[in-house]
Amino acid sequence: MPLVVRDVMRLLSSVAEAREMKAAVRHSGRGALVTGAVAFVGGIVGGPLGLAVGGAVGGLLGAWMTSGQFKPVPQILMELPPAEQEKLCQQVTDIVRNLDWTDAVQLTTLVMGSEALQQRLLALLVNYVTKELHAEVQYGD
């Protein structure tokens, strides 16, 4: 039976929820901008010493801004553009192709009852989140 993208996103969300998966997408560009801006202001206000202090403070502020912004993976999946969701759907189809199921609920039940299938889908999710979204994955609280 062909998979519908929405159903695949729900399936992946179920797997991610079972493991309490979260991901933090790093905003390194924003952190670099803050670091540069604070260093610039420090240099204007305090000369060479202000530049050094501004760079240090800006670096700390930039690092603080870009850390710890974890979102639940199911939320990230639902916010993906349709083309990315379709790409994930094709990869999931390759994994569940040989299963015998009639609807999305039965497919989810089959997957959640199989540790091996969950592991394969988790590996797919972790790979996607880390490689495509350049995010850090975290489990649990």
Side-chain angles (χ1 to χ4, degrees):
M1 177 174 196
L3 286 172
V4 178
V5 173
R6 183 187 47 189
D7 293 336
V8 169
M9 293 300 110
R10 286 186 189 140
L11 171 64
L12 290 174
S13 292
S14 295
V15 172
E17 282 174 2
R19 299 289 202 262
E20 298 180 27
M21 256 178 108
K22 298 178 204 166
V25 179
R26 305 221 180 235
H27 299 283
S28 57
R30 185 171 45 177
L33 182 65
V34 167
T35 301
V38 173
F40 177 74
V41 170
I44 288 177
V45 172
L49 182 60
L51 181 63
V53 171
V57 170
L60 290 172
L61 183 60
W64 175 76
M65 285 177 59
T66 61
S67 67
Q69 297 177 356
F70 283 90
K71 287 172 48 175
V73 169
Q75 179 183 349
I76 293 170
L77 291 173
M78 295 305 173
E79 293 173 355
L80 288 175
E84 292 299 310
Q85 289 182 349
E86 185 65 43
K87 185 160 80 170
L88 274 173
C89 182
Q90 183 55 49
Q91 293 173 349
V92 170
T93 300
D94 293 343
I95 292 172
V96 300
R97 176 174 315 217
N98 296 325
L99 294 178
D100 186 25
W101 53 279
T102 55
D103 61 15
V105 173
Q106 185 184 21
L107 176 61
T108 302
T109 303
L110 286 169
V111 168
M112 297 311 286
S114 168
E115 187 65 31
L117 284 173
Q118 286 183 51
Q119 289 299 326
R120 289 181 70 191
L121 291 175
L122 274 172
L124 179 140
L125 270 175
V126 169
N127 187 49
Y128 179 81
V129 168
T130 55
K131 299 261 190 311
E132 299 292 327
L133 302 179
H134 307 289
E136 175 187 344
V137 175
Q138 182 183 53
Y139 299 94
D141 288 332

